[in-house]
Amino acid sequence: MSMSKGSNTQVPTTALRVELGWRSGPGVPDADASALLLVSGKVRSDGDFVFYNQPAHSSGAVRHEGKRDVGGRVTDTLLVDLGRVEPAIETVILAASSDGGSFGQVPDLYIEVRDAARDTVVARFDNPGATVETAFVLGEFYRRQGAWKFRAVGQGYGSGLEGLATDYGISVDEPQHTPPPAPPAPVSPPAPPVRPAPAATTPPPAPPAPPAAPPSATPPAAAPVRLTKVTLTKAAPSVSLTKQGGTTGAMRVNLNWQVRKQFSGWARKLGRPAAMHDDLDLDLCCLYELSDGSKGVVQALGNAFGALHQPPFIHLDGDDRTGAVATGENLTISLDHQRYFRRILVFVTIYEGARSFADLHATVTLQPQYGAPVDFSLDECTVPSTVCALALITNTGNDLVVQREARYLVPERGVSPQRTIDHAYGWGMNWTPGRK
């Protein structure tokens, strides 16, 4: 159902997939979908804001599912389960923000609402008439007489995601600026010489401690929302975690994927469809080299899940088969122990369910506990690859650098994916067969 600006339609009280879409190309800015859950036109707290840095609402009703790029058509998706929205919430705002330009430079912009279970279109709003805006409220779900409706809004902002968020009551972390140097203190004339006092045999008594301040009845305010992010591309493939302030705490590395069930490029050449099945099992892994020269692998194969509070200070959370953003495959790296790291190579292998990464769209996100998230998508796979190098994290001694690899490798006959990636990056380990 295509809608005009200001029109509305009733939607089912169920799980709905909200897709922000546009056509990519040279000079086209990136865009991001977000949602705000409102009571009387405002959020109750910063937790009611769902976006790339805060991908799930505490109620489970709204979740940011991430991006994919298929043939130049880019989508960023939210899952909104209206049946799980808390009774106090009256409105769910569906917004978009641009990164690197205005929405007037984003062709074929639309928002589409689909029934998640049936995969049918419930509502669609095309081309909100964007020009210089850098943020948009494209639509909203709102309650009406015990049911939910969707309205096509099309309200633009020239102040980006920050302006849109603060308009609805979000506290946004301001960028830090270096204060100007303080003026030099006035020079005082030298003090007259004094005779040294005789050494005391007993130290003077300490001054009494000030009375303790009464406990505050108001809890400390939560940290404001950080809107910064880093997206790695071929043109800008690396970032310094040190400069981003993300060198302490735990860093989660997440891999999520979506299967495109169609003929892949290399399988088409062979005259058969790619073998992508519902039992697709990808494994997120990493090779590590520590500062003392020790090397190893963290992976589900062989139950080599690692450890977070002892070497190698890297832990694989589990073995996921869904590819969902909220779960997916996750590695956790303790940046509190970064002095022990020399290099870490994050890679992914196909354990079963496919012969290649063709027809598979995957996104990698590195989320430091105290820094901006770093994300990137994998390019389309055009070779029969079963192992892909994702990112190389290198400790240079005074910097921690993340390098986007996105490199598909094709193992030789009889050679494991792990041995293939080891050889490509010169790790020099000995490998033996393993199983889950």
Side-chain angles (χ1 to χ4, degrees):
M1 174 183 177
S2 184
M3 303 175 64
S4 58
K5 184 174 179 177
S7 61
N8 64 78
T9 184
Q10 188 164 328
V11 294
T13 305
T14 186
L16 300 173
R17 184 158 279 113
V18 180
E19 183 178 278
L20 169 70
W22 67 94
R23 180 163 46 85
S24 65
V28 175
D30 193 20
D32 298 288
S34 56
L36 300 103
L37 291 78
L38 308 183
V39 177
S40 301
K42 296 286 184 180
V43 297
R44 299 165 299 181
S45 71
D46 292 348
D48 286 339
F49 185 27
V50 177
F51 69 121
Y52 47 79
N53 274 8
Q54 197 163 265
H57 191 259
S58 59
S59 68
V62 184
R63 187 173 75 235
H64 182 237
E65 292 198 324
K67 290 181 184 170
R68 58 176 181 159
D69 185 342
V70 181
R73 304 293 306 189
V74 186
T75 57
D76 196 14
T77 304
L78 300 162
L79 185 69
V80 182
D81 190 344
L82 294 178
R84 298 180 66 179
V85 175
E86 298 157 289
I89 299 297
E90 302 161 351
T91 309
V92 179
I93 293 291
L94 306 169
S97 56
S98 61
D99 186 7
S102 69
F103 274 110
Q105 302 167 267
V106 179
D108 300 344
L109 181 67
Y110 70 88
I111 183 172
E112 185 173 85
V113 180
R114 304 182 71 90
D115 186 312
R118 300 180 180 180
D119 197 28
T120 54
V121 177
V122 175
R124 181 178 171 115
F125 176 36
D126 290 272
N127 188 15
T131 54
V132 298
E133 298 86 356
T134 50
F136 254 101
V137 175
L138 293 172
E140 64 180 11
F141 296 120
Y142 64 98
R143 296 185 192 266
R144 181 60 54 89
Q145 298 178 346
W148 284 95
K149 287 192 169 186
F150 171 79
R151 177 184 289 117
V153 178
Q155 176 187 350
Y157 289 75
S159 49
L161 184 59
E162 180 178 351
L164 184 150
T166 54
D167 199 33
Y168 287 102
I170 299 293
S171 302
V172 175
D173 190 11
E174 296 287 343
Q176 298 297 313
H177 299 286
T178 303
V187 178
S188 301
V194 295
R195 296 176 68 85
T201 57
T202 304
S216 173
T218 305
V225 170
R226 294 176 63 98
L227 300 182
T228 54
K229 67 170 184 173
V230 178
T231 298
L232 301 182
T233 63
K234 287 182 179 179
S238 64
V239 65
S240 163
L241 292 181
T242 305
K243 293 178 181 178
Q244 294 292 326
T247 54
T248 58
M251 179 171 71
R252 189 184 75 161
V253 182
N254 173 265
L255 171 72
N256 69 84
W257 61 87
Q258 294 175 326
V259 176
R260 301 193 295 266
K261 294 188 176 180
Q262 61 188 34
F263 274 60
S264 70
W266 74 272
R268 233 187 336 256
K269 294 177 183 177
L270 299 177
R272 59 177 183 268
M276 284 292 182
H277 307 297
D278 292 335
D279 62 351
L280 174 66
D281 186 7
L282 300 186
D283 284 341
L284 184 64
C285 319
C286 79
L287 292 173
Y288 62 83
E289 181 180 3
L290 302 184
S291 56
D292 63 0
S294 58
K295 301 175 182 179
V297 63
V298 174
Q299 60 179 2
L301 197 66
N303 294 321
F305 288 94
L308 199 58
H309 303 294
Q310 63 186 43
F313 308 109
I314 306 167
H315 182 252
L316 178 64
D317 296 359
D319 186 22
D320 182 74
R321 287 173 174 251
T322 66
V325 174
T327 54
E329 292 266 335
N330 295 283
L331 278 167
T332 304
I333 301 172
S334 176
L335 298 181
D336 290 334
H337 297 89
Q338 63 166 294
R339 66 187 182 277
Y340 293 100
F341 299 138
R342 183 172 293 168
R343 55 177 179 158
I344 301 169
L345 178 65
V346 182
F347 66 99
V348 58
T349 67
I350 298 176
Y351 183 70
E352 63 182 6
R355 296 189 300 271
S356 169
F357 287 105
D359 294 334
L360 180 73
H361 173 76
T363 302
V364 181
T365 303
L366 292 82
Q367 177 66 73
Q369 189 170 345
Y370 299 111
V374 178
D375 64 22
F376 60 90
S377 294
L378 298 185
D379 303 319
E380 183 177 355
C381 179
T382 57
V383 294
S385 169
T386 55
V387 58
C388 178
L390 301 176
L392 181 64
I393 304 170
T394 306
N395 189 348
T396 66
N398 55 10
D399 202 355
L400 202 60
V401 178
V402 176
Q403 172 80 25
R404 175 187 187 269
E405 295 294 309
R407 180 181 174 189
Y408 294 108
L409 301 173
V410 181
E412 296 180 2
R413 183 180 296 275
V415 177
S416 70
Q418 288 84 354
R419 191 185 297 271
T420 299
I421 200 123
D422 179 313
H423 179 74
Y425 285 85
W427 233 263
M429 291 172 54
N430 295 319
W431 296 93
T432 57
R435 63 169 54 186
K436 292 186 182 181

